[in-house]
C-alpha cells in the first residue's frame, strides 16, 4: 500500500452513515420485547389472574346466575377432610419419586462424570436425555405394557418360571412412582452431572492423599459439592410431580387419586371450576413457597437445561 | 470401580429404554391382546391408516407444532436479542417472567387458560391451542438462543461497527449468521415441545379439534389396543428425530462440556 | 488531516470516575501509546476516541472535525481488538473486504485492495482461509489488514499483542512499527506493557486512575518522570525522601543529594527518584568522583540472573534500594558487604507524589 495523500481518505466515510443513529434505542428494545411478553401476559399471566378471581366464586359462572364471592372453596380442606389424605398421598408420591430420582440419578451422573470420557460420554448423555424430550404420555403408556398383568414383566417371569402367578403391579401406587421416576430421572442426571463435572480432579486426589476412603469422599466432598445440582433437580422434579394427573390415572387406575386428578376432575367432570381454581392456587402457593426456599440454589444450579 | 460404574450406566439405559422398546415391539405383534409368542405383523399400522380420528389428530398436532415453532422462534429470538444485546433495567425481572410456563405445573397453567379463554370468549380449539403452545415454547426458544448468544463475543459486532456498519447492519451481517444454528435448533425444540404437549392440549382441545397426545390418552382410557402402540411409535420417532437433529446442530451448552 | 484532539474528556460510571479531564493532542502520523495499569482508564479513552463510548463532557475531534456526537460507524476509524474479533463465518478475504464493502468498494477493485493489504501484513494468498485455520499471530495480522485497508483517519489498537507469546510479540512489534512508518497512519496504541510502549512509540502517555500523568517521548518520560507513579510504573525506581536545602535535598542522615532541575523553596519535603541502573557500586568509604552523589549502604540480597545482577541494599536509616549492575567481570559481591553507592545528579529527579 503506497502512502497515499492521507487527506484524500479522511473525507470518505462509510456509505449509509449518518450523524443521527436512526431509531431511538429504547423503541427498538420495546419492539423486540413487546410481542413475546405481550403474548406471555395474555396467555399466562391474565389466565392465572382470572383463575384467582374464580377461586373466590361460589359456583361456575354459567348463564345468567349472579356471581357470588366467597371463601368457601379455600376452606375445602376442613369441610372435606378426605382431601387432606389425598394431599398427603400426593406429597408422599412426590417425595418418593424425588428420592428415587436423586439416588439413582446422582450415581448415574457420578458414573458419567468419572468413568466415561469424550465421545462415549457425549453419546451416553444424549441417549440418557433423549427420552426426556419425547412424549411423556407415550412413555407412560409404555410402562403399562411392562407392568400390566400379562405384560413384559410377567412374560419374563413365565419364561423363567412357567406357571407362576403375576408380578405385574399396574394400578398400584408403586407403578405410578416407577412411571414418574422414569420420566424425571434423565433431568436429575443432567443437573447432577453438570454440578459434578465442575469438581476438579485435584480436590479428590487431595482428599485421598489426606487419607480419605471412598465413602468419606462421597459423603463429605462429592455430595456436598454436587448439592446445587441435586437440589435444583429435586425441586424441578417434585413440583411437576405434585401437579401430575395423567400418570396417576393411567398407571394407578382407581388407586391413582392425587391432587392433580382431583383438580382435573373439577374442570372436566364436576364442572366445579371455582373449587378447581382454589385447589390449583393452593398448589401454586405450595410450589412458589418451594421455589422461594430454594431460589438461591436454583439460580446457581440450573445452568443449561437445554 | 469403573467396571461397576459402566455396568450401572448400562442398567440405567436399560431402565430408560426397555419400556419404550417393548411398547414399540408390541405394535408389531399380531395378537390384539398383546399375547406372546411374538408374530410379526404390520396390521396395526394398516388399521391406523383407516383410523380417521387418530389421523386427523395427528395432522392437527403437526400443523400446530409447525405454526408454534415458527411463531415462538420469531418472538423468542427477538426477545433474546433484546435480552442479550441491549442494556436496560429490569432484565432479571424479564428473565424471571419466562419461568412460569416451564416451572409452574402445566395442570395449573392449562386450567387457568381454560378458565380465561372461556370467560373472554376465546373458547377452546385450534386458536386456543396455538396461544397456549406458543406461550409454552417461547421460554425454551429464549433459553436456546440465549445460550447461543453467549458463544458470540460482543466485540464482533463492535469490530463490524468500527469498519462502518450501523448496528442493524452489524447484527444482520455478523451476529445473525453466527446465531443461525441456535435459531434453527430452537425451532426444532419448539416443534418437539409442541408435538409432545399433553396437559395444555387436554384442557384446550374440543371434540372437533384435538391433538394426537390427547387422542391417544382417550384411547388408552378406553382400553389398550396395539393401534395405540403403532401411533405412539410414530409419534415417538417423530419427536426423537427432531431432538436428535437439534442435539447435533445446536450443541446445547451443558451437554457438550468436555472434561 | 488525521490528527486527533481530545479536549476535557471525562467519563464516570455510576459513582466511579473513570476518566477525569483528559486533554491531549495526537499529531498526524504519530504513534502514541496509552500506558497504564488496569483501571487507569486507557481503554476507556481509546473507546471514547473510537466512538463506542460517549464522554460525559468534553470533545473529540478527528482531523479537525468534531466527532463527539458522531457514532462509531461514521468516524472512519480502524480498530484492532485485543481478541482480533475476526468474523468466524467469513474467509480472510471477506473479513478484510468488509469495511471496503461498507464504503461501496466491491468487486475487482476490492479484491485488489484486499490483496495489497494482505501483502503489506506479509500474508499473501491467505484470502481463502477461515480465521480458525490461522495461528494467533496470523489472525492478528489479518485484523490489522482489515483495519488498515479502509484507509482510516486514525488506527486504534487495544492491547493487540497481549495474547501472543513473547517471541511472537516481539516479531509483531517490529511488523507494526514498519507498517506504521510505511503508511503514516496516526496510531493510538493501548498497552500495559511498558517495554512495548517504549519500543514502539513516538510518544508515551502514562495514565493513572483516569488522568494523564505524563506524556512525552519515551526517553523523556523514562529519564525524567514527573511523578512517583510515572517513575514506578515505567521501569524500576529508587526513592529518597528528604528536605530541600541549599543546593539539593538533605536526607534524614544528613547526606546532601544534588539533583537535576530546579527545586521549590527550601524547607519543603521532597522525593527524589533514581533508577537502579544509574547507580554504581564502590567499595565502602571511597569518595566518588567530584560532582557525583554518594550514599552508604549495605547489601542485603543478591539476585544473580546471568547477564545482570540485582543488588537489594539498605541504608543505615532503613531505606531499601535496588541496583542493577551489568555482569562485566563475573565478580559478585556478597550479602552483608558495606558499599558506597555513586550516581550522577543528572539522573536524580524530583518527583511529585
Amino acid at each position: 500500500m503506497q502512502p497515499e495523500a492521507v487527506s484524500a481518505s479522511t473525507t470518505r466515510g462509510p456509505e449509509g452513515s449518518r450523524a443521527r443513529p436512526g431509531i431511538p434505542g429504547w423503541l427498538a428494545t420495546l419492539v423486540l420485547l413487546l410481542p413475546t411478553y405481550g403474548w406471555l401476559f395474555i396467555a399466562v399471566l391474565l389466565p392465572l389472574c382470572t383463575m384467582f378471581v374464580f377461586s373466590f366464586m361460589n359456583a361456575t359462572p354459567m348463564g345468567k346466575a349472579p356471581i357470588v364471592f366467597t371463601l368457601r372453596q379455600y376452606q375445602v380442606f376442613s369441610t372435606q377432610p378426605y382431601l387432606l389424605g389425598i394431599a398427603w398421598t400426593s406429597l408422599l408420591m412426590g417425595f418418593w419419586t424425588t428420592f428415587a430420582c436423586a439416588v439413582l440419578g446422582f450415581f448415574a451422573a457420578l458414573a458419567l462424570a468419572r468413568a466415561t470420557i469424550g465421545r462415549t460420554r457425549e453419546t451416553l448423555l444424549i441417549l440418557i436425555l433423549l427420552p426426556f424430550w419425547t412424549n411423556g404420555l407415550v412413555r407412560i403408556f409404555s410402562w403399562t405394557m411392562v407392568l400390566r398383568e400379562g405384560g413384559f414383566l410377567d412374560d419374563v417371569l413365565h419364561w423363567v418360571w412357567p406357571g407362576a402367578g403375576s408380578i405385574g403391579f399396574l394400578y398400584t401406587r408403586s407403578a405410578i412412582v416407577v412411571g414418574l421416576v422414569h420420566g424425571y430421572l434423565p433431568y436429575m442426571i443432567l443437573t447432577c452431572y453438570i454440578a459434578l463435572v465442575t469438581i476438579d480432579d485435584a480436590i479428590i486426589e487431595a482428599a485421598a492423599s489426606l487419607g480419605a476412603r471412598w465413602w468419606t469422599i462421597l459423603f463429605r466432598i462429592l455430595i456436598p459439592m454436587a448439592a446445587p445440582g441435586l437440589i435444583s433437580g429435586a425441586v424441578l422434579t417434585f413440583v411437576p410431580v405434585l401437579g401430575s394427573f395423567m400418570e396417576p390415572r393411567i398407571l394407578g387406575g382407581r388407586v391413582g387419586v392425587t391432587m392433580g386428578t382431583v383438580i382435573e376432575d373439577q374442570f372436566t367432570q364436576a364442572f366445579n371450576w371455582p373449587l378447581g381454581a382454589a385447589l390449583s392456587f393452593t398448589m401454586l402457593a405450595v410450589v412458589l413457597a418451594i421455589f422461594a426456599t430454594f431460589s438461591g440454589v436454583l439460580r446457581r444450579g440450573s445452568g443449561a437445561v437445554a | 470401580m469403573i467396571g461397576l460404574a459402566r455396568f450401572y450406566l448400562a442398567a440405567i439405559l436399560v431402565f430408560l429404554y426397555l419400556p419404550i422398546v417393548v411398547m414399540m415391539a408390541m405394535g408389531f405383534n399380531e395378537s390384539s391382546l398383546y399375547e406372546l409368542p411374538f408374530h410379526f405383523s404390520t396390521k396395526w399400522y394398516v388399521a391406523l391408516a383407516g383410523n380417521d380420528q387418530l389421523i386427523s389428530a395427528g395432522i392437527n398436532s403437526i400443523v400446530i407444532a409447525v405454526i408454534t415453532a415458527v411463531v415462538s422462534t420469531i418472538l423468542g429470538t427477538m426477545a433474546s436479542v433484546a435480552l442479550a444485546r441491549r442494556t436496560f433495567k429490569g432484565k432479571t425481572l424479564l428473565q424471571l417472567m419466562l419461568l412460569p410456563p416451564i416451572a409452574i405445573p402445566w395442570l395449573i397453567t392449562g386450567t387457568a387458560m381454560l378458565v380465561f379463554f372461556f370467560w373472554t370468549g376465546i373458547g377452546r380449539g385450534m386458536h386456543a391451542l396455538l396461544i397456549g403452545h406458543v406461550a409454552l415454547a417461547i421460554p425454551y426458544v429464549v433459553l436456546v438462543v440465549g445460550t447461543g448468544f453467549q458463544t458470540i463475543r460482543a466485540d464482533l459486532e463492535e469490530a463490524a461497527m468500527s469498519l462502518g456498519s450501523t448496528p442493524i447492519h452489524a447484527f444482520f451481517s455478523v451476529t445473525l449468521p453466527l446465531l443461525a444454528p441456535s435459531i434453527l435448533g430452537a425451532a426444532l425444540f419448539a416443534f418437539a415441545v409442541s408435538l409432545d404437549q399433553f396437559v395444555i392440549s387436554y384442557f384446550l382441545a374440543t371434540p372437533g379439534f384435538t391433538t394426537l397426545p390427547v387422542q391417544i390418552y382417550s384411547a388408552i382410557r378406553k382400553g389398550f389396543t396395539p393401534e395405540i402402540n403403532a401411533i405412539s411409535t410414530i409419534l415417538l420417532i417423530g419427536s426423537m428425530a427432531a431432538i436428535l437433529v437439534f442435539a447435533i446442530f445446536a450443541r446445547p451448552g451443558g451437554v457438550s462440556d468436555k472434561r | 488531516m488525521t490528527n486527533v484532539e481530545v479536549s476535557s474528556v471525562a467519563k464516570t460510571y455510576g459513582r466511579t470516575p473513570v476518566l477525569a479531564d483528559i486533554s491531549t493532542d495526537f499529531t498526524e502520523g504519530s504513534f502514541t501509546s496509552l500506558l497504564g495499569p488496569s483501571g487507569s482508564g486507557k481503554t476507556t479513552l481509546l473507546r471514547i476516541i473510537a466512538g463506542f463510548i460517549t464522554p460525559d463532557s468534553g470533545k473529540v475531534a478527528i482531523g479537525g472535525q468534531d466527532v463527539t456526537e458522531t457514532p462509531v460507524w461514521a468516524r472512519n476509524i480502524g480498530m484492532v481488538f485485543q481478541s482480533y474479533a475476526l468474523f468466524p463465518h467469513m474467509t480472510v478475504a471477506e473479513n478484510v473486504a468488509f469495511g471496503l464493502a461498507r464504503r461501496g468498494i466491491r468487486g475487482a477493485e476490492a479484491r485488489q485492495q484486499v490483496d495489497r493489504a494482505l501483502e503489506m501484513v506479509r500474508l499473501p494468498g491467505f484470502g481463502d482461509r477461515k480465521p480458525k485455520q490461522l495461528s494467533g499471530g496470523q489472525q492478528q495480522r489479518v485484523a490489522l489488514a482489515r483495519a488498515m485497508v479502509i484507509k482510516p483517519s486514525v488506527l486504534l489498537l487495544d492491547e493487540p499483542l497481549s495474547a501472543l507469546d513473547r517471541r511472537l510479540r516481539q516479531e509483531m512489534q517490529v511488523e507494526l512499527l514498519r507498517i506504521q512508518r510505511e503508511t503514516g497512519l496516526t496510531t493510538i496504541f493501548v498497552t500495559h506493557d511498558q517495554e512495548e510502549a517504549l519500543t514502539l512509540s513516538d510518544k508515551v502517555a502514562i495514565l493513572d486512575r483516569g488522568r494523564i500523568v505524563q506524556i512525552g517521548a519515551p526517553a523523556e518520560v523514562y529519564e525524567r518522570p514527573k511523578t512517583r507513579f510515572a517513575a514506578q510504573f515505567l521501569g524500576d525506581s529508587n526513592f529518597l525522601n528528604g528536605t530541600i536545602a541549599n543546593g539539593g535535598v538533605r536526607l534524614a542522615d544528613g547526606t546532601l543529594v544534588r539533583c537535576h532541575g530546579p527545586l521549590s523553596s527550601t524547607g519543603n519535603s521532597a522525593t527524589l527518584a533514581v533508577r537502579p541502573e544509574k547507580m554504581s557500586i564502590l567499595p565502602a568509604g571511597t569518595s566518588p568522583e567530584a560532582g557525583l552523589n554518594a550514599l552508604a549502604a549495605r547489601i542485603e540480597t543478591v539476585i544473580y540472573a546471568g547477564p545482570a545482577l540485582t543488588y537489594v541494599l539498605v541504608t543505615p536509616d532503613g531505606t531499601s534500594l535496588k541496583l542493577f549492575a551489568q555482569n562485566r567481570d563475573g565478580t559478585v559481591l556478597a550479602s552483608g558487604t558495606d558499599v558506597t553507592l555513586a550516581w550522577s545528579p543528572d539522573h536524580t529527579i524530583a518527583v511529585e507524589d
Side-chain angles (χ1 to χ4, degrees), chain C residues 209-232:
Chain C
R209 279 168 296 178
R211 284 183 196 279
I212 294 186
V213 155
Q214 189 170 355
I215 180 167
E220 183 196 321
V221 175
Y222 183 76
E223 304 292 352
R224 306 266 178 259
K226 281 205 193 125
T227 68
R228 177 186 274 264
F229 176 83
Q232 266 180 324

Side-chain angles (χ1 to χ4, degrees), chain B residues 127-225:
Chain B
H127 48 289
L129 281 165
L130 277 174
I131 298 179
H133 279 221
V134 170
L136 276 192
I138 287 179
Y140 291 105
V141 171
V142 174
L143 193 63
V144 172
V145 177
T147 312
F149 251 117
Q150 284 171 8
T151 62
I152 303 177
R153 290 187 322 259
D155 58 8
L156 286 179
E157 264 177 49
E158 282 186 350
M161 289 201 288
S162 78
L163 290 163
S165 284
T166 58
I168 296 190
H169 180 266
F171 176 77
F172 280 103
S173 59
V174 176
T175 313
L176 203 56
L178 292 172
L179 215 51
S182 293
I183 297 182
L184 219 66
L188 278 168
F189 212 83
F191 179 83
V193 164
S194 166
L195 204 62
D196 291 333
Q197 174 53 228
F198 167 71
V199 178
I200 308 268
S201 307
Y202 179 74
F203 289 108
L204 297 179
T206 64
F209 189 94
T210 178
T211 65
L212 195 53
V214 176
Q215 196 64 33
I216 296 179
Y217 180 74
S218 312
I220 294 177
R221 302 279 276 147
K222 291 203 193 104
F224 300 138
T225 79

Side-chain angles (χ1 to χ4, degrees), chain C residues 77-100:
Chain C
I77 56 160
M79 186 146 174
V80 178
F81 294 78
Q82 194 170 7
S83 59
Y84 322 135
L86 296 180
F87 307 130
H89 59 297
M90 298 184 192
T91 63
V92 164
E94 285 164 351
N95 263 280
V96 177
F98 189 87
L100 293 175

